[in-house]
Amino acid sequence: MSTHAKRERLLLADLLEASGPDAPTLCEGWTTRDLAAHLVVRERRPDAAGGILIKQLAPRLERVMDEMRAKPYEELIQLIRTGPPRFSPFSLKQIDEASNTVEFYVHTEDVRRAQPDWTPRELDAVFQDTLWSRLERMARMLGRGAPTGLVLRRPDGQTAVAHRGAPVVTVTGEPAELLMFAHGRQSAARVELDGDMDAVAKARGTKRLGN
């Protein structure tokens, strides 16, 4: 039975392939080649992937990223599509689903929404609920750098507190859109913000969300 992570993996691989290596993304400074290299390093080079989170390992990460960028683009796409090697923790279905569902969804949208004519994907209710479940668990981590209090709210009224503080900004939207907002893609997220005008402007403009 296909998982959400597997479906998003294949959608992302197809989109990267169709876009070519030089297309823009929402990841600042990255083209689709850079994004593809990141995805391969994350799953296949644990010796370097730690640099994503640990500053002291960042130079090694960048060297390995350069090695991946130098590979034929088609090879990177195939490595993404076929998934991690057997020795990787990501090869376990439960870990793949827990770690990659959001990762692949957000990066798929990074490519789609970098285009001027993009339109929202229609996501089924089960997937939206899955994304909301992930967001509830990640909200505090994603919002820890927010310059204001931050509450994420579904249209049905369910909420998750991303950052405690005052004044409070409430961000309302479907789970998929709230994920994009909380991951620092505020300008590309179809959401509504309510609160003090200055606080709303700070929440929209901060680069600290998701970091």
Side-chain angles (χ1 to χ4, degrees):
M1 184 176 181
S2 178
T3 64
H4 295 303
K6 184 173 183 180
R7 182 187 68 185
E8 293 300 306
R9 176 192 297 278
L10 297 177
L11 284 171
L12 178 52
D14 289 347
L15 181 58
L16 287 168
E17 183 176 50
S19 300
D22 301 315
T25 74
L26 296 183
C27 301
E28 189 173 353
W30 277 8
T31 64
T32 40
R33 179 185 292 279
D34 298 308
L35 178 54
H38 159 76
L39 293 168
V40 173
V41 170
R42 179 177 171 272
E43 285 196 320
R44 292 175 174 267
R45 292 296 303 270
D47 59 308
I52 297 171
L53 298 174
I54 303 171
K55 185 179 296 186
Q56 292 86 342
L57 299 179
R60 177 171 179 77
L61 171 62
E62 194 54 37
R63 287 195 299 272
V64 175
M65 280 284 291
D66 286 341
E67 293 173 12
M68 289 298 173
R69 291 185 186 102
K71 289 182 178 292
Y73 187 65
E74 297 76 12
E75 182 179 338
L76 295 177
I77 300 304
Q78 187 61 15
L79 290 172
I80 295 167
R81 183 174 282 123
T82 56
R86 288 184 180 180
F87 64 79
S88 171
F90 291 110
S91 67
L92 300 174
K93 180 179 177 180
Q94 295 86 344
I95 294 178
D96 180 46
E97 187 73 355
S99 302
N100 284 332
T101 298
V102 170
E103 177 84 5
F104 293 149
Y105 171 76
V106 170
H107 284 319
T108 296
E109 296 305 302
D110 282 336
V111 180
R112 292 184 67 255
R113 300 185 188 206
Q115 302 301 317
D117 57 349
W118 74 274
T119 56
R121 286 168 57 189
E122 291 189 12
L123 303 179
D124 62 74
V126 172
F127 189 46
Q128 291 279 16
D129 285 343
T130 297
L131 294 179
W132 175 252
S133 177
R134 301 289 196 280
L135 181 58
E136 283 185 306
R137 292 197 289 270
M138 302 167 64
R140 293 289 180 85
M141 180 185 71
L142 295 172
R144 64 186 183 276
T148 68
L150 193 65
V151 174
L152 308 175
R153 182 181 184 276
R154 295 184 72 169
D156 65 6
Q158 294 183 76
T159 61
V161 176
H163 190 75
R164 294 191 182 278
V168 175
V169 174
T170 300
V171 186
T172 303
E174 295 294 343
E177 300 301 321
L178 294 173
L179 265 174
M180 294 299 291
F181 186 94
H183 273 86
R185 280 73 168 177
Q186 298 99 302
S187 63
R190 298 285 178 90
V191 294
E192 295 182 0
L193 277 68
D194 296 302
D196 174 82
M197 186 179 300
D198 289 339
V200 166
K202 287 179 180 178
R204 282 192 184 279
T206 182
K207 293 187 177 182
R208 290 181 287 169
L209 287 178
N211 294 319

